[in-house]
Amino acid sequence: MANRVNREDFGPNTWLVEELYRQYVTDPESVSELWREFFEDYTPRTGDGRAPRRHEPAEEPREEPLAPPAGPGPERPEPQRPREPRPRAAPTAPRGAEPLTSVARVIAERMTESLQVPTATSFRQVSAKLLEVNREILNNHLKRTGGGKISFTHLIAYAVTRALVDHPAMNVTYAQTEDGKPARVPHEHVNLGLAVDVKREDGTRTLLVPNIKEAETLDFAAFHRAYEDLIAKVNANRISPDDFAGTTVSITNPGVVGTVQSVPRLMAGQAAIIGVGAITYPAEWAGADEDTLADVGVSKTFTLTSTYDHRVIQGAESGEFLGRIEALLLGDDDFYEDVFASMGVPYVAVEWRKDERPAHPTPLEEAERHMRLRHLIQMYRVRGHLIADVDPLEQLEPDIHPELDPATYGFTIWDLDRTFATGGFGGQREMKLRDILAMLRDAYCRTSTVEYMHSQDPEQKQWIQERVEGPTDALTTEEQRRILQKLGEVEALEQFLHARYVGQRRYSLEGAESMVPMLDAILSEAADAGMVESVIGMAHRGRLDVLTSVVGKSYSDIFREFEGALPLDLPQGSGDVKYHIGAEGKFTAPSGKDLRVTVASNPSHLEAVDPVVEGMVRAKQDQLDGGDASNPILPLLIHGDAAFAGQGVVAETFALSALHGFGTGGTIHVIVNNQVGFTTGSDYGRSSTYASDVAKMVQAPIWHVNGDDPEACVRAARLAFEFRQRFKKDVVLDMWCYRKWGHNEGDDPSFTQPLMYRKIKELRTIRKRYVEHLVNRGDLTVEEGEEALAEFKARLDRAFDEIPREERQVPPKVERQEPAPIQPKPVETKVDRGTLQEILDAITEVPEGFHVHEKLAKGLDQRRGQLEADAVDWS
């Protein structure tokens, strides 16, 4: 490629290429290996397009004669095209002038040549209000998820790229045909140049313009990555020739140094340069205070400039192009919705609306606005959970409930910086609307939310508000390491069993690993509170992880059971009994305090264990203190989402919870919400909004929490325990997660939930994502996280090696006396072949346009050919 590159291909970077080439000619080792490879077959071009000889100075361009040389030809010579106008000679430098050298001289030469490009510039002033608001939402989300930062230029540059797609006439450059005639070159792709200001070691500044290749093909997330990669390469001096070549349109940001607008120089081979001025209040408002600016509705603005090659682009095209950029930055064509979606922001972008506040509101109008704000606050407490970020699979598109939309109450983006009376919300008498909404969203619309306004007890509601409507305490380093340790224990055990015992059922907790840190937090709080014991009831999913990470069952015992060594006195015998047997052990909190833990035995009838655990707890409490109100035994029930919503025994257990003869001082319910029941999605498994809605019958508060955020799970668990201790009543933790494998490890869940499992397949483990999150925040190094997992896997390997290879223990066979068989009367069972063919055609017919799962398609094909082979699949 290199020998086909000419100077125009590098646009404003030509000076750099030429300077590096001169260094290369003098001393090849003075440039990087990448540039040496590039210059090996590079042919620099002179101003007239001729190639000089290598390692020799280029000849000065000679003036061409006005008439063609003598010789045979047509009688009437063709008229000669006019020569390009030459720039005026610079004045002679006075004595003492400092001659330009090296880079400065090359830049001066290129700027002089750029005078031959006839340019014009269009200007447009754009409001930055909506840009500011949506950027703030983006960065707040990325700050919580450890995902970097979005600048104004990122968004504006992306809008420029989108606008170039709609206005391809701006992506056209000027050239000349082989016979010297003017021509326009339309470009299929947008190679967007980014002007990067670089400060050199000697204090001088230079401008590099690498470009994002085919920028119009990228969504915002990919565009942002490409943008940041280029900046990183410039800063690390790793820029390559390919990064410079082929720029069609570039963007420059003089606003970073406070420049309101500028008219840049356009180099040959470029269509246009888009300039972004400083984002600031208009100069006439520079002295106004913030409250005045908010009341009047004055927005920060910035100036967009489009400097274009006037030979191939006209002023009207440039003006319409700038108008399109403005429209996008004001939200046209779902610009911000697309940006939010590509960055994984689970919220609806703010929309552009004109200010609806009267210029001179009456006292009644002002009072009504404050009343509407109180209503908005109340609605966030009641329905904020509906737009919370609790689903790690993000199966539904972000939406805004009308009662949570500030526009419903007459508020616009212009009200964000206006002050309102709060009635004591957040412990303050008045706040800006921006701060009120931020506090409401942090409390009710993030990865953890709570339903509690169905309670009739004002004290309980106020207790929850005081704890969620305010700053969230950050977890300590030790607490983060504890979470990471528990996630590592689960992941290591699950992957170990998956690899060593292929095909055996284990009812994996993968996808719901945060349940273990959640239980760890609850039991740690119980131990520190001086409680005596916790009785746990749960189904089979994750039971092995609870037995090892919580109860303290040895890994070698777990492995022995997989090898077939089970206690012979168990009436159930073999099979999957290891997922249903009980256990007793000791839990040790980080503080060093101990808590006895009992896991109740449980048959496959999922929720049948609920009343059993409540009875065990009540009996133990009665034996300990004769019904003392301290309730020193903690009942802890772990449910599946479909079972919690679908099994009547759950409602029956809740119905007994507050009765004097049955109460246990409150049960903590943990729902492992896989969003699927066996094979059925939640939309087809229940009629209620949430699996947890049955708990509202006893006015229990319900925390919904995203299982992909283990820190949020731990915080919610601590609040749930604190609520139980304070009010002696049931509380629910609904942890939204997913099931990595099928109902067990032997079935393929993609048969019935193909879209869900397509997403699940792409997800990294929760531990890996948490490590990444801690590393991005600077709380942990990657090496520390991986070392902890490697150490734990080594411990599992040692435990497996210590398993004695015992013969499989088979329970003794019980002799049973079978009753004499009953001889049935003969019955005619044959079916007409035509009927069978009709049935076969019906059950193997695929609707038009329906795509059958590839594994199921094979089964259908086999069925279709069965009758021809005189076979019948009776199922």
Side-chain angles (χ1 to χ4, degrees):
M1 179 201 78
N3 60 354
R4 295 196 303 271
V5 174
N6 58 44
R7 202 175 64 200
E8 284 70 24
D9 289 320
F10 293 107
N13 302 292
T14 305
W15 66 266
L16 174 68
V17 179
E18 293 186 5
E19 173 63 20
L20 288 173
Y21 181 69
R22 289 176 183 177
Q23 292 182 31
Y24 169 77
V25 169
T26 304
D27 178 13
E29 295 299 320
S30 66
V31 299
S32 69
E33 182 179 352
L34 197 67
W35 283 102
R36 288 200 298 273
E37 180 184 0
F38 175 78
F39 287 136
E40 283 177 359
D41 54 359
Y42 174 66
T43 305
R45 296 286 179 177
T46 62
D48 63 357
R50 293 180 294 107
R53 290 157 53 192
R54 292 283 304 275
H55 303 286
E56 294 182 8
E59 297 180 6
E60 291 296 325
R62 292 174 296 177
E63 188 171 315
E64 298 291 337
L66 293 179
E75 294 181 5
R76 297 180 61 186
E78 293 185 7
Q80 300 298 306
R81 64 182 179 87
R83 291 179 296 169
E84 295 284 351
R86 291 179 175 274
R88 287 186 298 175
T92 303
R95 180 175 297 177
E98 296 180 3
L100 296 176
T101 60
S102 186
V103 174
R105 178 169 59 84
V106 176
I107 293 176
E109 291 171 354
R110 299 291 80 78
M111 289 297 101
T112 302
E113 287 183 8
S114 73
L115 294 174
Q116 299 181 39
V117 180
T119 62
T121 302
S122 304
F123 299 83
R124 195 177 191 97
Q125 197 168 31
V126 180
S127 170
K129 188 69 172 180
L130 191 65
L131 181 65
E132 279 190 301
V133 173
N134 281 318
R135 173 179 173 265
E136 183 179 19
I137 296 173
L138 275 165
N139 282 331
N140 285 341
H141 176 75
L142 294 177
K143 183 179 179 181
R144 289 189 297 273
T145 56
K149 189 176 182 180
I150 305 298
S151 70
F152 288 115
T153 312
H154 287 137
L155 292 165
I156 295 170
Y158 186 62
V160 168
T161 304
R162 288 267 302 259
L164 285 169
V165 174
D166 298 329
H167 291 270
M170 291 297 297
N171 196 30
V172 172
T173 52
Y174 174 84
Q176 290 182 350
T177 62
E178 292 183 359
D179 57 357
K181 295 180 180 179
R184 62 194 303 271
V185 182
H187 296 281
E188 180 182 0
H189 295 291
V190 176
N191 293 338
L192 186 70
L194 307 175
V196 186
D197 181 57
V198 179
K199 191 171 183 179
R200 302 169 68 90
E201 293 181 358
D202 61 2
T204 61
R205 308 179 84 100
T206 57
L207 200 67
L208 300 181
V209 190
N211 65 72
I212 300 175
K213 299 291 191 294
E214 300 184 8
E216 84 287 354
T217 65
L218 308 176
D219 67 4
F220 181 76
F223 181 88
H224 177 256
R225 286 193 298 270
Y227 189 114
E228 290 300 291
D229 287 346
L230 279 181
I231 300 300
K233 290 175 75 172
V234 169
N235 292 336
N237 197 25
R238 292 186 291 106
I239 211 72
S240 72
D242 279 347
D243 295 319
F244 291 138
T247 301
T248 58
V249 175
S250 60
I251 183 168
T252 182
N253 187 5
V256 297
V257 292
T259 302
V260 177
Q261 64 185 36
S262 67
V263 181
R265 292 303 311 164
L266 194 65
M267 303 296 293
Q270 279 191 287
I273 299 177
I274 312 305
V276 182
I279 297 177
T280 183
Y281 286 109
E284 57 270 26
W285 290 95
D289 64 67
E290 290 185 1
D291 290 338
T292 300
L293 293 170
D295 285 341
V296 178
V298 176
S299 164
K300 288 182 180 178
T301 62
F302 63 96
T303 302
L304 280 177
T305 62
S306 168
T307 300
Y308 53 93
D309 190 332
H310 214 344
R311 293 171 293 186
V312 288
I313 299 172
Q314 300 307 309
E317 294 170 334
S318 176
E320 291 177 353
F321 168 67
L322 290 181
R324 179 57 178 159
I325 298 174
E326 179 184 27
L328 290 170
L329 294 175
L330 295 184
D332 269 18
D333 289 341
D334 296 329
F335 176 77
Y336 292 107
E337 283 78 0
D338 292 345
V339 169
F340 278 35
S342 70
M343 296 300 291
V345 180
Y347 309 114
V348 175
V350 176
E351 295 181 0
W352 173 263
R353 287 191 177 93
K354 292 185 177 180
D355 190 4
E356 297 180 4
R357 181 176 182 267
H360 303 287
T362 65
L364 178 59
E365 288 173 331
E366 277 295 288
E368 287 176 339
R369 288 171 62 79
H370 291 283
M371 290 172 62
R372 290 197 297 270
L373 174 65
R374 292 298 306 278
H375 191 190
L376 176 62
I377 293 173
Q378 185 72 358
M379 284 300 99
Y380 265 86
R381 290 168 171 168
V382 175
R383 311 208 196 286
H385 57 86
L386 294 175
I387 61 171
D389 179 20
V390 293
D391 182 4
L393 299 180
E394 298 178 352
Q395 297 181 91
L396 298 178
E397 291 292 328
D399 195 10
I400 184 75
H401 190 281
E403 291 180 313
L404 301 174
D405 187 353
T408 302
Y409 308 92
F411 298 119
T412 67
I413 57 174
W414 305 99
D415 292 304
L416 291 174
D417 292 308
R418 292 169 180 161
T419 302
F420 294 84
T422 65
F425 172 73
Q428 300 185 45
R429 296 184 61 187
E430 61 179 21
M431 296 172 66
K432 290 183 178 180
L433 180 60
R434 176 191 303 276
D435 299 328
I436 294 171
L437 290 174
M439 188 175 292
L440 287 170
R441 288 166 182 156
D442 283 339
Y444 302 111
C445 308
R446 303 306 183 195
T447 52
S448 179
T449 187
V450 59
E451 284 187 276
Y452 66 100
M453 294 299 285
H454 51 272
S455 173
Q456 298 173 12
D457 189 330
E459 183 185 358
Q460 293 178 17
K461 290 187 285 189
Q462 183 177 354
W463 186 93
I464 292 175
Q465 288 166 10
E466 290 173 353
R467 282 155 180 79
V468 301
E469 295 177 355
T472 301
D473 294 332
L475 298 184
T476 65
T477 301
E478 291 74 19
E479 290 170 333
Q480 292 170 345
R481 300 293 173 88
R482 177 84 173 187
I483 291 173
L484 188 57
Q485 174 193 342
K486 291 301 174 184
L487 292 175
E489 289 177 3
V490 176
E491 182 177 329
L493 177 61
E494 293 289 1
Q495 292 188 359
F496 183 92
L497 294 176
H498 190 72
R500 292 296 183 101
Y501 300 104
V502 179
Q504 288 203 43
R505 297 178 180 180
R506 69 181 192 277
Y507 298 101
S508 166
L509 192 63
E510 290 172 275
E513 296 97 321
S514 293
M515 182 191 80
V516 171
M518 182 181 280
L519 297 182
D520 181 75
I522 294 170
L523 297 177
S524 296
E525 293 290 318
D528 293 342
M531 300 193 77
V532 176
E533 183 181 359
S534 177
V535 181
I536 300 175
M538 65 181 301
H540 39 273
R541 185 157 314 283
R543 193 179 188 88
L544 298 179
D545 301 285
V546 172
L547 292 176
T548 54
S549 293
V550 175
V551 182
K553 186 172 182 176
S554 70
Y555 297 106
S556 57
D557 284 346
I558 294 289
F559 300 152
R560 284 191 183 94
E561 292 173 2
F562 273 95
E563 296 289 332
L566 295 173
L568 294 179
D569 57 347
L570 288 175
Q572 296 96 333
S574 60
D576 62 353
V577 67
K578 55 182 171 287
Y579 312 107
H580 305 299
I581 58 177
E584 292 184 358
K586 182 179 68 174
F587 173 85
T588 301
S591 63
K593 294 184 178 180
D594 294 332
L595 179 73
R596 188 165 67 248
V597 180
T598 299
V599 177
S601 297
N602 184 24
S604 293
H605 297 89
L606 303 179
E607 302 295 334
V609 75
D610 298 355
V612 176
V613 167
E614 301 293 349
M616 292 171 66
V617 171
R618 179 56 186 257
K620 288 173 180 285
Q621 288 179 345
D622 288 346
Q623 288 177 343
L624 281 173
D625 54 31
D628 184 7
S630 63
N631 303 117
I633 313 293
L634 176 66
L636 184 53
L637 293 177
I638 304 170
H639 314 263
D641 51 320
F644 193 84
Q647 292 196 303
V649 67
V650 176
E652 293 170 358
T653 304
F654 273 114
L656 296 173
S657 64
L659 299 182
H660 176 71
F662 299 88
T664 57
T667 299
I668 297 180
H669 301 263
V670 177
I671 301 174
V672 180
N673 192 341
N674 294 313
Q675 307 184 67
V676 63
F678 191 35
T679 62
T680 307
S682 56
D683 288 348
Y684 295 91
R686 63 173 187 269
S687 298
S688 59
T689 302
Y690 298 113
S692 57
D693 283 347
V694 66
K696 293 179 181 178
M697 65 183 288
V698 294
Q699 302 175 39
I702 303 164
W703 266 271
H704 302 281
V705 62
N706 191 321
D708 265 12
D709 187 346
E711 290 188 7
C713 291
V714 167
R715 291 192 188 96
R718 290 174 176 171
L719 283 172
F721 177 80
E722 190 179 350
F723 182 90
R724 186 265 181 187
Q725 292 297 91
R726 173 66 180 80
F727 296 104
K728 304 297 180 185
K729 66 179 295 183
D730 286 26
V731 60
V732 177
L733 290 162
D734 178 20
M735 187 187 78
W736 288 56
C737 51
Y738 56 90
R739 193 182 65 192
K740 183 174 181 178
W741 311 106
H743 178 67
N744 57 57
E745 288 65 38
D747 64 305
D748 188 343
S750 66
F751 284 178
T752 55
Q753 302 294 334
L755 298 181
M756 174 187 284
Y757 276 86
R758 185 183 302 165
K759 288 188 175 184
I760 290 173
K761 188 176 181 180
E762 297 171 353
L763 294 176
R764 301 168 72 228
T765 67
I766 294 174
R767 181 196 62 84
K768 287 181 179 178
R769 278 175 281 166
Y770 186 53
V771 168
E772 182 181 3
H773 183 60
L774 293 177
V775 170
N776 287 338
R777 289 195 320 207
D779 296 334
L780 186 76
T781 66
V782 176
E783 292 75 15
E784 288 173 330
E786 296 304 329
E787 284 172 9
L789 181 67
E791 179 184 349
F792 192 78
K793 285 185 174 179
R795 183 160 29 127
L796 287 178
D797 284 331
R798 289 194 299 271
F800 184 82
D801 293 339
E802 294 169 3
I803 303 172
R805 293 302 185 263
E806 305 163 347
E807 292 185 9
R808 185 179 296 272
Q809 300 179 24
V810 180
K813 186 176 181 180
V814 179
E815 295 292 339
R816 295 185 180 180
Q817 188 171 358
E818 299 292 340
I822 300 174
Q823 297 296 331
K825 295 180 180 180
V827 178
E828 185 70 36
T829 61
K830 69 179 181 180
V831 181
D832 180 72
R833 187 183 184 92
T835 302
L836 288 175
Q837 187 64 54
E838 185 178 353
I839 295 172
L840 190 62
D841 292 342
I843 66 174
T844 59
E845 183 181 2
V846 178
E848 185 177 352
F850 183 84
H851 298 284
V852 182
H853 192 286
E854 58 181 9
K855 292 184 179 180
L856 295 177
K858 294 178 181 178
L860 291 177
D861 291 339
Q862 291 173 356
R863 278 189 173 180
R864 291 189 185 101
Q866 282 183 323
L867 273 184
E868 296 178 5
D870 290 330
V872 175
D873 182 348
W874 292 107
S875 65

